[in-house]
């Protein structure tokens, strides 16, 4: 027989030892008959509850289903089992929610009826709460992700399907919730980014690579075609075999962020490249940013670290103090600060006047003022332009030309002083005046009909117009230039400006010029007439020697046509023998400016050569330059013929005279000897006088003969080497007896021998000595001296007689020249001695000259080379 007590004891011990909370109820009122400590803990009760009906022991169960359920198990005998059942139990006097998995199991008594209910409960409150919490967290995460625009994705790599949330689908442009294979997802990636994405996925799925999947790329919406930037992050999960079974992560839209960054970059670029000078400094004045233009302006190198620069690099001391102590304090949040500041170039120290605007910069997040931005505009170009404009305005103001500026209706907006004076308008009347009122009726019509339309198409017009003097009504002819002025921004014409020149002085001048021209024309005609009427051929030449004018006389005389003789054509008709000398003399004159004088032959109309004496003189300007040559050709054919006849006559005459004179001289000498011998001294003396006259006659005839020889070019020279000194001594010896009054003094220092014609040189010395005696009748001495003259022989004969005036000095060497005057007849002679002498000296290659003072005496000199050659 079983001991119920002992059984109960054992049972109780069993229940107590049970790892789950356990209670046993009995009877229809559900009395607690056994309960273990775990159950008591759940109930937060002690053993005192044993023996009490459950609804008494745990009054808080009222209104909950448990008592009913237990009663039902008693009645039905069916086990009741439930999970995660919620129960409100007292704990520390407070009702709290717990969750239990519990079982009400009926235990039949010996009578087969239900005697007990076996209640086991497992407290899963913590688990349920944790799960709820997890669910909450998940929900919260999803919520926060979706509110942040983040989508989640989960790739089942084994089955190659993707689980995407709605946001994710949206970001890839999928509508609805259709099944999306992985490849479809890939096809949404921008082609340019796809390779990188594929590579990133491969890396992420490589267990060894341990790569985080973190990539930014573009998607092109599958359905909507929209381009989005997304940021994708994810992680692969690997199984034991290292195979990725899951690859999940988030994706969020960074389109805005990318665009914002792009905008930021564009903005920075804009600021960087902006022509204005921009800087940002923090509130301590430390520079943070400076754009290129600013750096360039103040002389900061691109490579320089701007944070190392100090404000005093950019201002002089005074301006720095003003900026720091005054301006920076005046920057307000609403208006910033705007005004003029003079910056300074760090390198060149050049002051730079700038218009600067400051603004305060706030942190958009915190609203705190974090810096100052400055925007500076270099005013130098403006200042320069203003100065130039002012200068221009001044120039226009003081211009002597008429300057005005009108609106399109002709209303005068401006007129300078010269303009006002020209038309007699007062300054205060300008504003009310209209240009059509101060232009003549004709001009106003032209302005309306022609000029304004042209101005509007071409922008400018110039031409003659007429103004009207506002007080006198005088019509003032002007030359006007008109320009259209357009609005700088719209480009539409707004006004026109005019500059006019008073043509009256010009017209007066032109009239005077015309008069003068016609006068000149008349004079030229007169001169032409005059030139044509003179018997000579008259011509002019340019400084280069080309003839540019020949008078009509040429047509009568010249063999070539007048036009063909211009330039250098005249030379064509020249006698070939005369041409070289003529050209040489002409070119010498052109070069030296010396007068041109030559005789040459030119063919006439009949083809016969005629002799011309050609003379030309240069006309020089104020600077002394030759501007023209004026020449005459005088026909001297007849003179030449007469000369030839004279020469012929002289030649024949002197030649014919020479023989009888020689005979007479011989007879006279014989007669003189006979008289002397017979002692008839008187007759001998007379014959002696006759003899001297015969000598004179002989010498005169000799001179004439020489002249004819010279003219015919037949003067012969006999060359020999002789002692010059001895020759001079001999001549003195011969001449001294011809005078009783004069003593010939000598100073002969040239001792060398000469080669030349001894007799002809003797003739020259004799001639000089006899002249000296002849033309110094009051003097009693004559000096003859010789000396070495640059290696040549020089001889001079000095007398103290009547002398020669300077203007006649050079003529004495000309043929038949005799100094005219009262004394002419006092001194007999033909005027041939010096002519012959100069011919001889010149032909021997020497020079002859005279220095003389009228009334005091003359010195005639010649020089001869030591070796003279026939020329
Ligand atoms: P003439 O036969 O007249 O002397 P010349 O040819 O010898 O001819 O001289 C030319 C002129 O030169 C002279 O008529 C004379 O007027 C001037 N004359 C020459 N020699 C002298 C002189 N020694 N003193 C002054 N006049 C001179």
């Amino acid at each position: 027989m079983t001991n119920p007590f002992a059984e109960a004891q054992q049972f109780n011990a069993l229940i107590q030892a049970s790892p789950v909370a356990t209670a046993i109820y009995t009877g229809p009122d559900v009395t607690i008959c056994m309960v273990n400590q775990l159950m008591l803990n759940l109930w937060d009760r002690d053993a005192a509850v044993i023996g009490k009906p459950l609804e008494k022991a745990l009054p808080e169960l009222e209104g909950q289903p448990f008592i009913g359920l237990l009663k039902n198990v008693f009645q039905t005998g069916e086990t009741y089992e439930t999970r995660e059942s919620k129960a409100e139990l007292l704990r520390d006097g407070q009702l709290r929610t717990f969750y239990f998995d519990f079982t009400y199991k009926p235990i039949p008594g010996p009578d087969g009826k239900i005697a007990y209910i076996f209640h086991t409960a497992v407290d899963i409150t913590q688990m349920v709460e944790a799960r709820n919490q997890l669910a909450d967290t998940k929900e919260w995460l999803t919520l926060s992700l979706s509110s942040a625009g983040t989508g989640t994705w989960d790739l089942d790599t084994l089955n190659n399907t993707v689980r995407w949330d709605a946001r994710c689908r949206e970001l890839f442009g999928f509508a609805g919730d259709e099944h999306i294979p992985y490849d479809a997802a890939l096809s949404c990636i921008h082609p340019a980014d796809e390779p990188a994405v594929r590579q990133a996925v491969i890396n992420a799925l490589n267990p060894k690579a341990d790569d985080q999947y973190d990539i930014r790329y573009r998607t092109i919406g599958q359905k909507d075609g929209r381009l989005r930037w997304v940021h994708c992050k994810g992680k692969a999960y690997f199984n034991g075999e290292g195979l990725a079974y899951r690859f999940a992560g988030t994706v969020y839209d960074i389109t805005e962020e990318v665009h914002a960054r792009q905008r930021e970059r564009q903005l920075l670029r804009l600021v960087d490249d902006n022509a204005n000078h921009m800087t940002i400094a923090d509130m301590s004045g430390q520079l943070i940013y400076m754009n290129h233009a600013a750096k360039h302006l103040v002389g900061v190198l691109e490579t320089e670290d701007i944070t190392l620069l100090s404000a005093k690099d950019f201002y002089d001391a005074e301006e720095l103090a003003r900026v720091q102590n005054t301006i920076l304090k005046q920057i307000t949040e609403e208006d910033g600060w705007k005004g003029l500041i003079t910056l300074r170039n760090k390198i060149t120290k050049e002051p730079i006047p700038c218009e600067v605007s400051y603004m305060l910069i706030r942190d958009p997040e915190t609203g705190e003022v974090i810096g100052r931005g400055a925007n500076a505009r270099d005013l130098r170009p403006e200042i320069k332009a203003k100065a130039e404009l002012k200068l221009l305005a001044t120039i226009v103001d003081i211009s002597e030309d008429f300057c005005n500026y009108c609106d399109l209706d002709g209303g005068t907006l401006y007129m300078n002083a010269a303009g006002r004076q020209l038309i007699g308008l007062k300054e205060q009347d300008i504003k009310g005046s209209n240009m059509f009122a101060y232009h003549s009726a004709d001009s106003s019509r032209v302005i309306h009909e022609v000029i304004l339309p042209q101005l509007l198409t071409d922008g400018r017009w110039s031409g003659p117009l007429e103004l009207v003097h506002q007080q006198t009504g005088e019509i003032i002819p002007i030359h006007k230039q008109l320009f259209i002025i357009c609005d700088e921004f719209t480009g539409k014409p707004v006004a026109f400006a005019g500059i006019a020149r008073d043509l009256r002085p010009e017209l007066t001048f032109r009239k005077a010029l015309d008069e003068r021209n016609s006068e000149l024309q008349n004079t030229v005609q007169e001169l032409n007439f005059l030139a044509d009427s003179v018997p000579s051929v008259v011509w002019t030449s340019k400084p280069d020697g080309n003839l540019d004018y020949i008078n009509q006389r040429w047509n009568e005389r010249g063999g070539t046509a007048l036009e063909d003789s211009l330039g250098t054509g005249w030379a064509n008709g020249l006698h070939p023998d005369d041409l070289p000398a003529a050209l040489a003399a002409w070119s010498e004159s052109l070069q030296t400016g010396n007068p041109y004088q030559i005789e040459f032959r030119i063919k006439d109309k009949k083809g016969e050569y005629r002799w011309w004496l050609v003379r030309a003189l240069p006309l020089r300007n104020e600077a002394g330059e030759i501007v023209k040559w004026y020449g005459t050709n005088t026909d001297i054919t007849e003179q030449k013929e007469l000369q030839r006849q004279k020469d012929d006559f002289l030649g024949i005459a002197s030649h014919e005279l020479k023989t009888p004179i020689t005979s007479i001289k011989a007879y006279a000498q014989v007669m003189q000897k006979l008289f002397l011998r017979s002692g008839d001294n008187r007759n001998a003396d007379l014959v002696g006088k006759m003899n001297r006259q015969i000598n004179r006659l002989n010498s005169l005839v000799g001179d004439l003969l020489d002249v004819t020889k010279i003219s015919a070019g037949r003067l012969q020279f006999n060359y020999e080497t002789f002692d010059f000194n001895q020759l001079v001594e001999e001549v003195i010896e011969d001449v001294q007896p011809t005078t009783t009054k004069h003593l010939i003094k000598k100073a002969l220092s040239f001792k060398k021998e000469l080669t030349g014609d001894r007799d002809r040189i003797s003739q020259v010395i004799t001639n000089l000595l006899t002249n000296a005696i002849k033309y110094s009748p009051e003097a009693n001495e004559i000096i003859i001296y010789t000396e070495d003259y640059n290696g040549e022989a020089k001889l001079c004969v000095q007398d103290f007689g009547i002398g020669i005036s300077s203007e006649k000095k050079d003529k004495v060497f000309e043929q038949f020249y005799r100094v005219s005057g009262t004394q002419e007849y006092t001194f007999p002679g033909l005027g041939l001695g010096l002519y012959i002498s100069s011919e001889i000296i010149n032909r021997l290659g020497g020079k002859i000259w005279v220095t003389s003072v009228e009334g005091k005496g003359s010195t005639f000199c010649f020089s001869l080379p030591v070796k003279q050659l026939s020329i």
Side-chain angles (χ1 to χ4, degrees):
M1 181 80 217
T2 50
N3 178 351
F5 181 74
E7 264 178 32
Q9 281 286 324
Q10 279 173 6
F11 196 60
N12 194 22
L14 216 63
I15 287 169
Q16 288 303 335
S18 168
V20 287
T22 310
I24 295 173
Y25 311 108
T26 186
D29 55 349
V30 195
T31 303
I32 303 162
C33 60
M34 218 172 273
V35 61
N36 70 0
Q37 190 55 44
L38 286 175
M39 187 62 92
L40 288 174
N41 289 350
L42 284 184
W43 289 344
D44 196 24
R45 301 289 198 286
D46 56 21
V49 294
I50 298 171
K52 287 183 183 167
L54 188 60
E55 55 193 347
K56 292 273 175 346
L58 303 175
E60 67 261 34
L61 291 184
E62 192 187 335
Q64 297 190 50
F66 308 111
I67 308 271
L69 284 169
L70 282 168
K71 286 182 177 167
N72 197 39
V73 172
F74 264 110
Q75 276 166 17
T76 60
E78 280 172 20
T79 301
Y80 179 81
E81 199 169 14
T82 185
R83 301 198 152 273
E84 286 185 32
S85 177
K86 194 172 159 193
E88 307 281 333
L89 295 174
L90 272 178
R91 182 67 45 99
D92 300 330
Q94 296 280 322
L95 257 189
R96 275 189 54 193
T97 307
F98 293 89
Y99 293 90
F100 299 101
D101 286 349
F102 68 90
T103 312
Y104 294 153
K105 196 173 167 63
I107 301 170
D111 55 359
K113 283 189 180 162
I114 303 304
Y116 301 100
I117 293 176
F118 195 77
H119 172 199
T120 53
V122 177
D123 181 0
I124 56 161
T125 310
Q126 269 185 348
M127 193 195 82
V128 170
E129 275 180 353
R131 207 181 52 218
N132 285 349
Q133 222 166 6
L134 194 69
D136 279 355
T137 312
K138 248 187 177 170
E139 196 180 346
W140 176 81
L141 188 71
T142 317
L143 211 73
S144 62
L145 282 177
S146 70
S147 70
T150 307
T152 55
W153 49 271
D154 197 340
L155 176 67
D156 179 345
T157 46
L158 301 176
N159 298 316
N160 212 16
T161 53
V162 196
R163 272 199 304 116
W164 294 18
D165 69 1
R167 175 65 181 151
C168 206
R169 285 165 187 276
E170 189 189 323
L171 291 182
F172 279 72
F174 288 104
D177 50 3
E178 77 262 47
H179 167 77
I180 300 165
Y182 179 52
D183 282 345
L186 280 180
S187 73
C188 296
I189 296 169
H190 192 288
D193 298 336
E194 202 204 307
V197 177
R198 274 186 192 277
Q199 189 56 47
V201 171
I202 290 168
N203 291 350
L205 296 181
N206 179 356
K208 292 191 188 104
D210 191 23
D211 249 11
Q212 281 289 335
Y213 179 68
D214 186 340
I215 185 165
R216 290 171 164 81
Y217 58 86
R218 282 160 289 179
T219 62
I220 296 169
Q222 178 77 4
K223 292 272 155 35
D224 61 7
R226 246 177 80 181
L227 185 119
R228 296 179 181 85
W229 274 95
V230 296
H231 185 179
C232 227
K233 278 182 172 177
K235 183 173 164 41
Y237 299 89
F238 301 97
N239 62 17
E241 289 149 29
L243 202 69
Y245 60 87
R246 190 178 164 210
F247 179 36
T250 57
V251 55
Y252 59 95
D253 189 350
I254 55 165
T255 311
E256 270 307 307
E257 183 188 322
V258 168
H259 287 172
R261 218 175 25 244
Q262 274 172 356
R263 271 198 300 278
E264 193 178 299
R265 271 204 296 268
Q266 284 163 348
L267 211 63
L268 194 69
R269 180 77 194 273
L270 198 71
V271 172
D272 241 7
D273 294 347
N274 198 290
N276 275 5
H277 312 92
M278 302 181 182
T279 51
I280 299 173
D282 66 16
M283 290 313 281
S284 74
Q286 176 63 59
L287 274 175
I288 298 169
Y289 169 79
M290 204 172 211
N291 73 352
H292 295 305
K295 285 181 179 174
H296 180 75
L297 183 75
V298 294
V300 172
L301 302 179
E302 286 297 340
T303 48
E304 248 175 293
D305 180 354
I306 56 163
T307 60
L308 300 177
L309 298 172
S310 126
K312 65 175 180 294
D313 288 328
F314 308 120
Y315 305 98
D316 66 15
E318 198 184 321
E319 195 68 338
L320 181 66
R322 187 170 79 96
V323 170
Q324 288 182 334
N325 303 337
T326 317
I327 296 173
L328 292 184
K329 288 179 187 146
Q330 290 172 355
I331 306 175
T332 64
E333 202 177 327
E334 298 79 47
D335 303 330
W337 185 90
K338 197 166 186 178
L340 300 179
I341 293 181
T342 302
L343 289 167
R344 191 175 63 165
N345 187 291
K346 183 168 154 284
I347 299 168
T348 63
K349 307 287 181 219
E350 188 196 345
I352 308 159
C354 288
E355 186 185 68
V356 177
S357 44
Y358 278 114
M359 72 208 83
L360 293 176
I361 300 172
R362 279 186 185 279
D363 184 326
E365 308 274 299
T366 63
E368 181 197 355
V369 175
I370 50 166
R372 277 186 299 260
N375 191 333
R377 192 161 60 87
D378 182 359
L379 292 177
R380 285 173 304 176
E382 210 166 286
I383 291 171
K384 201 171 150 218
K386 261 190 196 148
E388 276 168 12
L389 210 66
K390 201 168 166 202
L391 186 74
L392 212 64
T394 316
I395 291 172
V396 170
D397 249 3
I398 62 166
S399 164
E400 288 181 8
D401 286 335
F402 172 106
C403 302
N404 69 344
Y405 186 75
C406 300
D407 62 28
L408 291 181
D409 300 324
T412 309
L413 305 169
Y414 167 82
M415 187 183 292
N416 70 348
R420 297 195 301 268
Q421 203 196 339
L422 185 68
I423 61 166
L425 194 70
K426 294 200 190 81
E427 191 168 4
Q428 62 267 27
D429 296 338
I430 290 176
K431 283 281 173 311
S433 70
N434 189 290
M435 66 175 284
F436 293 109
Y438 51 77
H439 280 85
S440 73
D442 279 351
S443 289
S444 293
R445 192 177 42 75
V446 174
I447 293 171
H448 265 309
E449 291 173 6
V450 183
I451 302 176
L452 285 183
Q454 191 184 329
L455 269 179
L456 292 174
T457 51
D458 300 353
R460 59 193 307 154
W461 179 89
S462 73
L465 283 178
E466 290 169 344
L467 290 171
V468 180
H469 195 280
Q470 297 300 285
Q471 270 138 45
T472 63
E474 185 194 352
I475 298 283
I476 305 162
I478 51 164
H479 183 271
K480 186 144 189 163
Q481 294 187 46
L482 281 161
F483 310 89
I484 200 88
I485 297 186
C486 295
D487 184 278
E488 206 177 319
F489 296 106
T490 62
K492 289 216 174 97
V494 285
F496 46 87
I499 301 172
R501 202 176 67 238
D502 181 0
L503 287 181
R504 286 173 304 177
E506 203 173 303
L507 291 176
T508 317
F509 176 74
R510 200 173 292 158
K511 204 170 146 218
L513 202 71
D514 285 348
E515 280 167 14
R516 185 97 189 83
N517 266 346
S518 77
E519 269 172 34
L520 267 175
Q521 202 63 36
N522 290 343
T523 313
V524 167
Q525 272 170 8
E526 280 168 23
L527 279 175
N528 271 342
F529 177 75
L530 201 68
D532 286 341
S533 59
V534 294
S536 305
V537 172
V538 177
W539 52 267
T540 61
S541 153
K542 289 186 239 172
D544 63 3
N546 279 306
L547 267 58
D548 54 1
Y549 168 79
I550 305 177
N551 71 348
Q552 291 301 322
R553 201 55 68 189
W554 178 260
N555 284 333
E556 298 158 17
R557 304 289 179 87
T560 48
L562 196 150
E563 310 77 59
D564 299 339
S565 303
L566 289 170
T568 54
W570 56 276
N572 295 334
L574 242 72
H575 193 290
D577 290 352
D578 303 341
L579 185 63
L583 291 179
W586 183 222
S587 87
E588 200 241 45
S589 287
L590 290 176
Q591 273 167 31
T592 61
N594 290 337
Y596 173 60
Q597 174 161 344
I598 195 156
E599 292 173 3
F600 55 63
R601 283 161 287 177
I602 295 184
K603 249 187 210 153
D604 67 5
K605 282 199 158 32
K606 291 179 211 144
E608 287 166 11
Y609 282 106
R610 293 187 72 82
W611 276 100
W612 294 89
L613 168 65
V614 183
R615 283 205 178 103
L617 287 173
L619 176 75
R620 292 173 189 273
N621 62 12
E622 281 170 6
E625 294 153 354
I626 294 174
V627 288
K628 216 162 188 91
W629 284 85
Y630 287 86
T632 55
N633 294 9
T634 311
D635 189 339
I636 52 162
T637 315
E638 272 149 32
Q639 283 103 302
K640 278 275 178 193
E641 183 56 25
L642 282 173
Q643 175 127 16
R644 195 184 57 75
Q645 285 171 4
K646 179 204 75 187
D647 285 348
D648 286 353
F649 165 75
L650 279 178
I652 295 161
S654 50
H655 190 262
E656 291 305 317
L657 284 169
K658 193 93 182 160
T659 327
I661 289 170
T662 313
S663 305
I664 293 168
K665 188 175 160 109
Y667 292 126
Q669 278 172 347
V670 173
M671 269 174 76
Q672 194 179 19
K673 273 180 195 154
L674 287 175
F675 280 128
L676 279 174
R677 218 175 284 163
S678 66
D680 187 348
N681 286 340
R682 198 167 154 261
N683 280 324
D685 194 35
L686 284 173
V687 175
K689 282 184 181 161
M690 186 176 82
N691 210 12
R692 279 201 293 283
Q693 290 306 315
I694 292 169
N695 276 346
R696 264 194 74 205
L697 187 65
N698 198 25
S699 117
L700 286 174
V701 172
D703 277 357
L704 282 175
L705 209 56
D706 281 347
V707 170
T708 56
K709 279 184 190 159
I710 290 167
S711 296
R714 280 188 284 109
L715 194 64
Q716 298 290 323
F717 289 97
N718 299 313
Y719 290 92
E720 60 181 308
T721 301
F722 59 93
D723 183 339
F724 182 63
N725 207 34
Q726 195 189 332
L727 171 72
V728 179
E729 297 270 14
E730 277 175 25
V731 176
I732 297 170
E733 225 167 87
D734 284 350
V735 177
Q736 182 64 72
T738 64
T739 175
T740 46
K741 197 166 190 320
H742 302 85
L743 176 67
I744 304 176
K745 290 187 175 172
K746 57 186 179 185
L748 310 176
S749 60
F750 188 86
K751 299 277 197 261
K752 282 185 230 162
E753 288 189 325
L754 292 188
T755 302
D757 190 319
R758 193 177 192 275
D759 289 345
R760 288 292 181 192
I761 296 170
S762 155
Q763 187 185 346
V764 173
I765 303 169
T766 308
N767 183 244
L768 296 185
L769 277 174
T770 49
N771 276 353
I773 292 165
K774 187 161 69 173
Y775 296 107
S776 65
E778 308 295 326
N780 45 24
E781 68 170 19
I782 282 160
I783 301 167
I784 180 165
Y785 57 91
T786 62
E787 59 192 27
D788 189 302
Y789 184 65
N790 298 331
E792 297 197 339
K794 176 175 147 187
L795 180 142
C796 295
V797 175
Q798 185 180 11
D799 66 56
F800 303 93
I802 61 165
I804 312 164
S805 67
S806 56
E807 69 270 15
K808 287 170 181 163
K809 221 171 51 183
D810 294 324
K811 298 206 165 156
V812 294
F813 297 104
E814 287 173 15
Q815 208 180 18
F816 297 113
Y817 183 81
R818 310 206 65 239
V819 174
S820 57
T822 48
Q823 288 169 329
E824 194 179 354
Y825 301 104
T826 327
F827 306 100
L830 290 175
L832 291 176
L834 285 179
Y835 168 66
I836 296 165
S837 295
S838 78
E839 276 297 316
I840 292 169
I841 296 295
N842 287 339
R843 291 277 306 272
L844 290 174
K847 285 194 186 81
I848 186 163
W849 68 93
V850 59
T851 51
S852 181
V853 178
E854 203 173 7
K856 288 267 162 66
S858 315
T859 304
F860 280 85
C861 298
F862 67 78
S863 66
L864 279 172
V866 175
K867 280 203 167 27
Q868 300 135 35
L869 291 173
S870 156
I871 5 172

